[in-house]
Amino acid sequence: MTSDLGGRWSRRRMLGLAGLAGVTAPLGLMQAARAFPAFGLGPVADPLGDAPICKVAATDDPSGPRRHIRFAYNGTGICTAAVPVALHRGFFARHNLDVEFLQLAGNTDQMLQALATDKADAGSSMLLNWLKPLEQGIDVKLTTGLHGGCTRLFVRKDSGFKDITDLKGKTIGVSSISGPPRNFFAILLSDSGLDPQTDVQWREFPADLQLIALQRGEIHAIADSDPNAWLTEKRANGDLVEIASNLSGDYANLSCCTLGVRSSLWAADPAAVKALTAAIREAAHHVAENPDDAADIFAPYTPKVAVADLAAMLRSHTHGHHPSGAALRQEVVKITSDLKRATIIKPNTDPAKLANRVVVDVDA
């Protein structure tokens, strides 16, 4: 079974995406006021104070007009908590940015549509979901990684499975055949000498049914991302054990999510892109240093999840990891090479050329 990401981004599909974006973006504008309220936070002090942060080039002009940025954001992924933190703790304002959120229904395809068709200027999501469309020519630039972690592989505690190699001949449940959990664990399977296409089976189940499917024996493992993965483990009441994650092995020091911008914005106003990147990297640092505060800020976006659970998720990620420039380029090369080996990226794609084309130097 091959990933849906392996399909071509044909001219017909791109035109279809453009048409869909024309429908979804105005709706997103109408929804944004409801989905991203101020939450009554009121005035905020300088969020940085004297705290040390990652060094980012000074790019904003506090005396000039604020730059307007349309940010595509679905408001459901705890791993992108730096984005609402940047809004509600004043990081965007500090960098002289007027950021407007365009709410999306929840999948990365919509975000890529919005960027490719000039309905949005920027967005953040899992790098594993960006690389196939980038390989196939979608015109987006990557500016920084945001963090590592958040994707997990669970089995039942009494299953006897100790690591991913024990899943040969078994079935792994995912919420999307083309999603990052499937792609990431396809890499780990390949690294372990297994063929992710033939040595395991992949079955789609909605996130809230995965645990039931596991308990019924319809699948032997669950691969998902936070918050769903974390909440599934909690609902299992100690019945699950995590045998792998995207903090396993080499991936312990790599990015999971990334910030992307439309290429035309980078060409026309690199200062705005640098300011946006600086604001979000500083917000990511705030998440790493103050996970409880970040969880409080994010909680209204996922009101059914306890703040304590959100804070615990954030602590388990590596929000202090946000590479750019050459460091991000090296990560893109590594992950692209791994996706090639897992037969998701085409065998004739040059990872270095792809990284050089899509990663821009915001610190230069």
Side-chain angles (χ1 to χ4, degrees), residues 22-201:
V23 174
T24 58
L27 177 61
L29 286 171
M30 290 186 289
Q31 292 173 328
R34 295 194 299 272
F36 301 99
F39 299 134
L41 293 178
V44 295
D46 183 343
L48 300 181
D50 296 324
I53 60 167
C54 55
K55 187 175 182 181
V56 180
T59 57
D60 45 317
D61 177 9
S63 64
R66 287 196 170 185
R67 297 179 178 90
H68 182 70
I69 299 290
R70 301 165 300 167
F71 202 105
Y73 187 64
N74 65 28
T76 60
I78 182 65
C79 55
T80 58
V83 179
V85 165
L87 172 67
H88 295 300
R89 285 294 175 260
F91 291 96
F92 288 143
R94 183 179 183 274
H95 284 273
N96 208 24
L97 297 172
D98 171 25
V99 175
E100 170 191 19
F101 284 102
L102 309 181
Q103 188 192 9
L104 303 179
N107 64 46
T108 302
D109 268 357
Q110 275 199 332
M111 183 176 297
L112 293 170
Q113 294 163 22
L115 295 178
T117 57
D118 196 20
K119 302 297 182 182
D121 300 311
S124 62
S125 187
M126 291 185 174
L127 183 56
L128 283 167
N129 258 15
W130 293 64
L131 287 174
K132 187 64 183 182
L134 288 170
E135 176 204 32
Q136 296 176 331
I138 193 168
D139 201 15
V140 173
K141 302 299 184 187
L142 306 180
T143 71
T144 186
L146 294 182
H147 71 90
C150 85
T151 301
R152 309 170 191 275
L153 181 67
F154 296 113
V155 296
R156 295 191 66 167
K157 187 173 290 185
D158 61 1
S159 67
F161 303 139
K162 301 301 182 184
D163 60 47
I164 198 167
T165 61
D166 293 330
L167 296 179
K168 183 175 182 179
K170 305 303 181 182
T171 301
I172 302 174
V174 292
S175 56
S176 171
I177 292 296
S178 61
R182 190 271 184 196
N183 292 339
F184 175 71
F185 292 112
I187 289 173
L188 289 196
L189 287 163
S190 179
D191 285 347
S192 300
L194 301 181
D195 187 330
Q197 313 298 337
T198 61
D199 284 334
V200 300
Q201 300 296 316

Side-chain angles (χ1 to χ4, degrees), residues 171-291:
T171 301
I172 302 174
V174 292
S175 56
S176 171
I177 292 296
S178 61
R182 190 271 184 196
N183 292 339
F184 175 71
F185 292 112
I187 289 173
L188 289 196
L189 287 163
S190 179
D191 285 347
S192 300
L194 301 181
D195 187 330
Q197 313 298 337
T198 61
D199 284 334
V200 300
Q201 300 296 316
W202 305 90
R203 288 191 63 185
E204 280 192 7
F205 285 91
D208 57 351
L209 296 180
Q210 289 177 341
L211 181 58
I212 295 173
L214 184 70
Q215 292 169 337
R216 289 178 176 175
E218 297 176 57
I219 57 178
H220 302 95
I222 296 172
D224 210 342
S225 297
D226 293 337
N228 290 335
W230 184 277
L231 296 174
T232 296
E233 183 183 25
K234 185 175 181 179
R235 285 198 303 271
N237 293 318
D239 186 43
L240 299 185
V241 59
E242 181 180 306
I243 61 170
S245 77
N246 62 343
L247 289 177
S248 301
D250 293 342
Y251 279 78
N253 299 306
L254 297 179
S255 298
C256 171
C257 288
T258 189
L259 173 67
V261 300
R262 59 180 174 86
S263 295
S264 54
L265 178 63
W266 172 251
D269 193 356
V273 174
K274 292 181 178 183
L276 177 68
T277 304
I280 290 182
R281 288 170 72 182
E282 290 165 8
H285 180 84
H286 181 87
V287 174
E289 294 294 310
N290 303 278

